[in-house]
Amino acid sequence: MPFTRGWGQTRSRPKTSIFRSEIMSLVQLYIPSDVARFTVSQLGEMGLLQFRDLNDDVSAFQRSFVNDVRRFDELERKLRYLRTQIERSDVDIYDFFNEEAVAASRGPRDIDDMEEKIGAHEDRVLRLTAAYKDLQLKHLELIENKHVLEEVSSLFVEISGRQQTAAAPAPASASRASAGGAHDSVPLLGRSDSLSRRSIGSLDAAYAGDAGGYDVEGGRIGGGHDINIGFITGVIRRDRVATLERVLWRSLRGNMFLNYVDIEEPISDPKHDEPVYKSAFIVFAHGESLRDRATKISEALGATLYHVDRNAERRQEELIETMSRLDDLQQILENNNAARINELTNVSEQLNTWFTIVRKEKAIYHTLNLLNYDANRNCLIAEGWCATNDIPAIQSALHLATEDAGSNVPTVLHELRTTKEPPTFVRTNRFTDGFQNIVDAYGVPKAGEVNPGLFTCITFPFLFALMFGDLGHGFLMTICAALLCIYEKKLAWLAKDESLRMFYTGRYIVLLMGIFSMYTGLLYNDIFSRAMSMFSSGWQWPSDQGGEGVTVEATKLGHTYPVGIDPAWHHAGNSLLFTNSYKMKMSIVLGIIHMTLGICLQVPNALYFKKRINIVHVFVPQIIFLFSIFGYLVFAILFKWCTDWYARDAAGELTHISPPSLLNMLIYMFLSPGSVGESERMFRGQAALQTVLLLLALACVPWMLLVKPFILRREHQKIISEGYGRISSHVRVSSEDDAPGGAVIVSEQEEMQEDDFDFADIMINQTIHTIEFCLNSISNTASYLRLWALSLAHAQLSEVLWTMTFLPTLKMSGALQPIAIFCGFAVWFVLTFSILIGMEGLSAFLHALRLHWVEFNNKFYDGTGTKFEPFAFKTILDEAEE
Amino acid sequence: MGGVLVFWIGALIVGICVGVLFAFKGMSDPTLWRTCTILSLACCYLMWAITYLAQLHPIIIPKRDNLRIEF
């Protein structure tokens, strides 16, 4: 199997082309242990080698370099933590990328240094964050305390005020000097005149008539009764106050008095994300047990209780102290924050560099896990696929690595002979990359077979353009794509965005689609649904007849419109009759040509895989079958177009009968072979020709069906009769089951692969293949009619949009016309872009894709290959970014 | 004009394609550029030729009923 070149053969550099995938070699590397890391690192930078897993019978936890992988996992976790902290604190992550540090080969000491630094940073940030949280809690407490002190003071002041007005002769003996200068003995009764306060309590009823006051401070009622009323104060969420009231009322059986004040500014509670509104409340209850119960209930409802002194002076002192503590705390918080941000800023400068280094190292150790460790010779053995043309580059990388490590022992590269199927490597550049992606989405080419991507570069945009043909829309598309292509370096970030990635990676596809659409738009004579008259038309409208509702006919002048469809058709009412016929026939003709190209691509495949039988007994009958039916149809189409059906000879008589119907002709060719009806006759001898073609096509069917299997069987019997037996077939090798590690040490691998010859199998396959081809030849040809259908839809949509949105504004009269034109144009342009270019574009893209994937590919394409995925840091880093 | 024009232009295109087969020698992947050029020329020519041939001897005549009378 000509996939690889043997060791020792002189290698002439074959010119690489995307016509076929590259020739791959299976190489073996003997790497000394101390150079291993550097070697893998250099190979990762180059990205040319796909390592094979030589340890796939070992679980992930038993591999040699598991600890190193774990170490870097841990580092990555720390880095991720640092990154979240940075993002949360709104510190800018510098996109600063220390190129040299990342690219340079790193020794173990550098890695250890980095690990230490990262560990130290993480430690500090952790401590600062924890301290910050503590400080915040403290801050909350102090603020709530302050509010409680303030509100409760004002509550006492109000109560005292009421007491004073209600009972004027109340002894002033209990009065103390307080901040507001008001008395502190207040009645608990009476209406409150401020709206934010309410008083409830059964004490209301009990003391209704008594004008005596209750001195909160002294705990004495003016009447001399001594009731031990204590209170609890605290802060609770505003929406919970009503619940608190109700529950306290019920559980304390009304023997309580609750007053509360809403705190105006919201308090930021670390438990909740946003600031919450709270209220300060005070509950009066007499008796320890009642107060305990009240405490428990309020704490259960989420209130925080603070102790407030009865004495106004002491309350004042407490308030002042709390305020000063708050100030201090504020200071500490700011310092802490500043320190944290400082630390995080330091980290952020190096964060990207560290991330890259850690990911690269992890990738290196993952790869080292794939290699086989040979303890005797103290070296690692690697096996991998690479393109034969890249072997010099790989050798230079190995050389570099040996130098970096400062070692004298070189790495040995050894090519292996194998019949395993290599992965498929198609070397694309940024132009062909998009088209190759389209092909790969259907199936990766098998190694060595013809790559349809080469032809897709042109046929795909062309088939798209046939369905999208409009000069104006094509122009807009070309401009957008050209901008994407010209500024592709600056717009590289688009590749990371999920939704816009498709447009960025397919920018060259869109560019070509736009250019071809302009060409087909020129030929369809369609620019934003208008027609152009670049040359003189081949038809002339009469100058004497006319008017609304009067049908006139054009007369044919001597010449044909040279490029495209005549503009006279644009105004004609029966233009669809002509354009439909024209587009349908064009679709069939171009479809047959496309399919012929597909069938012909079987020939290079057959030559490359040395299966001559495929050419003679598969390709030839297929071509004869297709041409005898549909090639004849194409010929008939061209013949009908080239004949002047209304030509008159010297005597003025029509030389031909009426133009024949091609569809009927094709149908009757099968239904009544040997005779051609009057309305289908095109030329003399037509009946005989049709019969011959029909017989040819019929003869091809058994040819395709039977000849190849019987020839294969005869060859196989010849081999057996000459005494060569089959080598035991259980050594069947495919790219999936690899030889176990022991066989790798052997330098030459010879694996015999022999097909089990099963005649029934081959026969069934051939039958399916034949039936598929014959039926597909009809259905695929008809499938190409979608080229007509979509271009018709596009043209009609475009015309409707024009006549409905913009044309009426042009026909308006009056002063409003300029505004109407402005609005009409806006609507027309937006809808053109979104519906006609966006929606129709995607639709045509999809149908062109289907034509390639099904109608073109099933003529020759196998598509069962695996893609070549070399070990490259670039891919790994890109993936990790997502 | 006539149908012969199609033939001559076709011959011209074939000549250009043969010339292209020997061009693009200095590029990294000459096959790609040769294939692209030949395919583009072929596709464009085919479409033009089909459009031209379809209008050479028309079977349908354009008709309209909103012709503005010239004065």
Side-chain angles (χ1 to χ4, degrees):
Chain A
M1 292 252 165
F3 296 128
T4 67
R5 308 196 94 101
W7 188 76
Q9 281 181 19
T10 47
R11 257 178 258 117
S12 60
R13 281 276 218 92
K15 266 242 168 70
T16 61
S17 148
I18 67 169
F19 181 61
R20 288 216 153 82
S21 59
E22 292 224 10
I23 301 180
M24 309 292 279
S25 318
L26 185 64
V27 296
Q28 210 174 37
L29 301 171
Y30 291 90
I31 314 172
S33 305
D34 44 345
V35 195
R37 242 204 75 249
F38 295 96
T39 311
V40 176
S41 175
Q42 279 296 338
L43 289 173
E45 297 282 344
M46 304 212 75
L48 295 172
L49 185 68
Q50 176 180 346
F51 285 95
R52 274 183 58 208
D53 190 358
L54 298 170
N55 296 327
D56 56 356
D57 49 344
V58 177
S59 82
F61 299 105
Q62 292 168 323
R63 301 205 184 204
S64 352
F65 296 96
V66 158
N67 291 328
D68 298 276
V69 174
R70 259 198 219 129
R71 180 176 165 218
F72 288 105
D73 261 337
E74 180 63 22
L75 273 179
E76 210 180 351
R77 184 198 62 81
K78 288 189 189 166
L79 284 175
R80 272 199 299 259
Y81 168 73
L82 286 172
R83 176 191 275 174
T84 28
Q85 286 302 317
I86 289 180
E87 277 165 12
R88 265 206 214 134
S89 324
D90 288 330
V91 176
D92 291 319
I93 298 188
Y94 293 105
D95 231 354
F96 182 71
F97 205 63
N98 192 346
E99 286 290 342
E100 317 149 5
V102 163
S105 44
R106 291 164 292 282
R109 212 168 302 154
D110 300 323
I111 309 272
D112 288 336
D113 273 345
M114 189 180 76
E115 203 179 353
E116 256 184 63
K117 270 194 227 154
I118 296 181
H121 278 295
E122 190 221 9
D123 207 30
R124 270 190 293 240
V125 171
L126 269 173
R127 270 189 285 127
L128 284 171
T129 318
Y132 188 71
K133 280 214 178 64
D134 284 335
L135 290 171
Q136 283 227 322
L137 277 171
K138 262 225 157 56
H139 183 81
L140 174 73
E141 264 181 41
L142 285 175
I143 285 216
E144 285 183 350
N145 206 348
K146 175 184 97 147
H147 280 296
V148 164
L149 281 171
E150 284 174 351
E151 304 301 341
V152 165
S153 298
S154 62
L155 258 179
F156 282 148
V157 161
E158 207 221 77
I159 297 179
S160 121
R162 270 192 278 127
Q163 210 177 37
Q164 239 194 349
T165 52
S173 59
S175 71
R176 316 260 164 177
S178 68
H183 293 275
D184 299 293
S185 16
V186 296
L188 286 172
L189 331 167
R191 304 250 155 262
S192 160
D193 39 6
S194 90
L195 291 167
S196 68
R197 304 168 187 207
R198 279 197 311 112
S199 18
I200 41 167
S202 64
L203 300 170
D204 211 289
Y207 295 100
D210 202 331
Y214 173 68
D215 182 0
V216 176
E217 307 265 316
R220 294 222 227 141
I221 295 190
H225 294 277
D226 205 353
I227 298 185
N228 175 21
I229 289 201
F231 58 88
I232 59 170
T233 51
V235 168
I236 194 175
R237 288 175 55 154
R238 224 182 257 187
D239 43 358
R240 299 244 176 104
V241 175
T243 324
L244 182 66
E245 276 182 43
R246 270 200 307 277
V247 174
L248 278 179
W249 175 267
R250 274 201 215 113
S251 77
L252 297 180
R253 277 176 264 262
N255 295 326
M256 50 72 85
F257 168 59
L258 172 112
N259 205 337
Y260 69 93
V261 170
D262 292 329
I263 300 178
E264 264 125 34
E265 50 203 38
I267 299 181
S268 43
D269 192 342
K271 275 187 286 213
H272 312 104
D273 288 327
E274 334 142 310
V276 200
Y277 283 100
K278 298 200 175 181
S279 312
F281 66 92
I282 178 167
V283 179
F284 291 97
H286 58 260
E288 273 305 316
S289 62
L290 285 181
R291 277 207 296 283
D292 283 338
R293 226 187 288 178
T295 314
K296 284 209 195 80
I297 291 173
S298 2
E299 276 175 354
L301 281 173
T304 347
L305 297 176
Y306 296 97
H307 177 257
V308 163
D309 210 297
R310 292 166 178 264
N311 192 321
E313 240 176 34
R314 282 203 284 268
R315 273 207 304 275
Q316 204 53 30
E317 284 167 16
E318 252 187 68
L319 188 60
I320 296 180
E321 201 192 305
T322 311
M323 302 279 275
S324 82
R325 271 163 70 189
L326 254 176
D327 278 337
D328 287 339
L329 195 64
Q330 202 81 318
Q331 194 67 27
I332 299 179
L333 264 175
E334 274 172 29
N335 286 345
N336 176 303
N337 214 16
R340 244 180 97 241
I341 294 203
N342 198 12
E343 187 73 27
L344 289 174
T345 317
N346 282 343
V347 169
S348 75
E349 281 171 16
Q350 316 216 33
L351 193 67
N352 275 336
T353 320
W354 282 337
F355 254 120
T356 314
I357 295 182
V358 165
R359 283 188 183 129
K360 277 193 180 178
E361 291 293 323
K362 206 159 80 146
I364 292 178
Y365 281 101
H366 268 304
T367 311
L368 283 175
N369 271 336
L370 299 175
L371 311 184
N372 203 357
Y373 190 63
D374 188 17
N376 316 350
R377 295 177 235 182
N378 204 24
C379 73
L380 285 159
I381 302 175
E383 236 184 59
W385 290 102
C386 73
T388 312
N389 285 344
D390 285 337
I391 290 188
I394 293 184
Q395 275 174 334
S396 72
L398 296 175
H399 198 66
L400 260 174
T402 319
E403 270 179 27
D404 273 341
S407 159
N408 284 327
V409 187
T411 313
V412 178
L413 185 146
H414 187 157
E415 270 186 77
L416 298 172
R417 272 184 149 239
T418 178
T419 50
K420 280 205 224 19
E421 197 179 301
T424 314
F425 178 42
V426 177
R427 210 186 286 266
T428 53
N429 52 25
R430 60 185 178 193
F431 170 66
T432 51
D433 198 29
F435 297 103
Q436 193 61 37
N437 275 342
I438 292 181
V439 172
D440 285 345
Y442 175 79
V444 179
K446 204 169 69 164
E449 76 166 339
V450 171
N451 174 25
L454 174 64
F455 304 97
T456 308
C457 285
I458 296 292
T459 55
F460 180 80
F462 183 66
L463 288 184
F464 171 88
L466 283 174
M467 295 189 263
F468 192 76
D470 187 305
L471 184 57
H473 300 149
F475 178 66
L476 289 174
M477 200 184 244
T478 313
I479 289 191
C480 292
L483 284 174
L484 270 178
C485 293
I486 294 177
Y487 294 114
E488 61 188 358
K489 293 222 172 60
K490 285 193 206 147
L491 293 171
W493 58 269
L494 274 174
K496 308 224 169 76
D497 185 86
E498 286 292 326
S499 46
L500 295 175
R501 181 194 300 182
M502 226 176 49
F503 291 107
Y504 182 73
T505 47
R507 58 194 183 278
Y508 284 101
I509 307 180
V510 180
L511 180 67
L512 279 186
M513 289 187 334
I515 296 178
F516 274 108
S517 300
M518 290 208 293
Y519 177 73
T520 54
L522 190 70
L523 286 181
Y524 286 156
N525 210 351
D526 209 356
I527 172 167
F528 295 122
S529 84
R530 317 299 298 150
M532 299 178 286
S533 302
M534 285 191 297
F535 309 94
S536 57
S537 167
W539 300 92
Q540 193 182 41
W541 295 106
S543 48
D544 47 354
Q545 314 162 31
E548 273 307 312
V550 178
T551 311
V552 294
E553 272 188 17
T555 41
K556 179 144 186 24
L557 302 174
H559 62 274
T560 318
Y561 195 73
V563 179
I565 296 186
D566 204 302
W569 287 108
H570 182 77
H571 303 287
N574 60 348
S575 73
L576 276 182
L577 272 179
F578 169 71
T579 47
N580 282 351
S581 157
Y582 152 69
K583 284 180 182 172
M584 277 203 256
K585 289 177 181 157
M586 180 163 72
S587 312
I588 298 283
V589 171
L590 291 176
I592 303 278
I593 296 178
H594 197 215
M595 286 199 287
T596 311
L597 177 65
I599 299 183
C600 290
L601 285 177
Q602 283 181 5
V603 180
N605 271 342
L607 289 173
Y608 186 83
F609 292 113
K610 302 215 169 36
K611 288 201 174 132
R612 289 264 158 77
I613 187 175
N614 275 348
I615 303 183
V616 180
H617 298 292
V618 176
F619 165 70
V620 172
Q622 281 184 352
I623 283 279
I624 295 182
F625 183 84
L626 191 70
F627 276 0
S628 59
I629 303 181
F630 295 102
Y632 175 62
L633 179 64
V634 170
F635 166 74
I637 292 176
L638 291 173
F639 187 89
K640 186 175 172 189
W641 273 340
C642 290
T643 325
D644 189 358
W645 298 98
Y646 298 113
R648 294 171 185 275
D649 60 11
E653 294 291 318
L654 286 172
T655 43
H656 301 271
I657 44 177
S658 62
S661 155
L662 288 176
L663 198 55
N664 281 346
M665 182 201 79
L666 193 65
I667 292 176
Y668 287 122
M669 175 170 153
F670 283 90
L671 286 185
S672 54
S675 69
V676 175
E678 276 304 311
S679 60
E680 291 103 38
R681 189 185 302 276
M682 276 202 295
F683 51 85
R684 229 168 10 152
Q686 188 177 353
L689 178 65
Q690 282 185 199
T691 320
V692 167
L693 288 174
L694 192 58
L695 286 174
L696 261 179
L698 283 177
C700 284
V701 178
W703 184 0
M704 278 191 273
L705 185 62
L706 296 172
V707 177
K708 180 174 163 191
F710 279 105
I711 289 187
L712 284 175
R713 181 154 164 263
R714 201 176 50 170
E715 275 179 13
H716 175 75
Q717 280 174 339
K718 201 159 65 158
I719 295 179
I720 289 193
S721 71
E722 286 181 12
Y724 297 113
R726 262 191 294 133
I727 301 198
S728 51
S729 56
H730 69 260
V731 189
R732 193 175 192 80
V733 187
S734 66
S735 51
E736 262 65 63
D737 42 271
D738 298 326
V744 171
I745 309 294
V746 176
S747 62
E748 303 259 315
Q749 291 188 104
E750 286 290 331
E751 284 143 348
M752 280 305 292
Q753 184 174 343
E754 181 101 21
D755 285 314
D756 288 299
F757 188 81
D758 187 355
F759 183 67
D761 215 18
I762 295 183
M763 197 63 215
I764 292 178
N765 267 337
Q766 200 61 25
T767 316
I768 295 176
H769 193 75
T770 309
I771 296 178
E772 215 182 359
F773 178 77
C774 297
L775 292 180
N776 275 348
S777 67
I778 305 178
S779 74
N780 289 354
T781 309
S783 180
Y784 275 96
L785 283 172
R786 69 186 71 225
L787 295 172
W788 155 66
L790 264 99
S791 83
L792 175 67
H794 188 90
Q796 291 298 301
L797 252 179
S798 175
E799 191 175 318
V800 161
L801 189 65
W802 173 266
T803 35
M804 293 282 149
T805 57
F806 196 47
L807 192 60
T809 64
L810 291 175
K811 289 190 180 160
M812 263 174 73
S813 56
L816 277 182
Q817 197 191 19
I819 302 178
I821 290 186
F822 183 80
C823 299
F825 178 78
V827 173
W828 174 83
F829 192 74
V830 165
L831 286 180
T832 295
F833 230 100
S834 56
I835 296 184
L836 285 173
I837 298 185
M839 188 186 84
E840 282 282 319
L842 281 176
S843 168
F845 184 95
L846 184 75
H847 284 281
L849 202 60
R850 177 251 153 76
L851 281 177
H852 277 79
W853 280 357
V854 178
E855 273 77 19
F856 185 60
N857 280 354
N858 70 8
K859 300 287 182 293
F860 72 99
Y861 191 49
D862 199 1
T864 51
T866 39
K867 205 158 178 206
F868 176 65
E869 274 153 18
F871 171 65
F873 285 139
K874 193 166 172 309
T875 350
I876 294 176
L877 290 173
D878 282 341
E879 267 171 40
E881 280 302 312
E882 289 164 22
Chain B
M1 289 271 195
V4 200
L5 180 67
V6 176
F7 175 71
W8 285 121
I9 303 254
L12 177 68
I13 298 281
V14 169
I16 298 179
C17 288
V18 169
V20 163
L21 275 177
F22 301 104
F24 297 111
K25 284 260 165 69
M27 319 208 69
S28 60
D29 191 355
T31 315
L32 173 67
W33 298 111
R34 285 177 197 150
T35 314
C36 284
T37 323
I38 295 179
L39 268 178
S40 314
L41 285 171
C43 290
C44 295
Y45 166 71
L46 274 173
M47 194 178 174
W48 171 80
I50 290 173
T51 313
Y52 189 80
L53 286 174
Q55 298 181 98
L56 207 51
H57 301 291
I59 301 176
I60 315 175
I61 300 179
K63 294 192 178 116
R64 65 188 294 187
D65 61 356
N66 55 357
L67 184 65
R68 205 172 55 176
I69 307 180
E70 287 179 52
F71 33 71

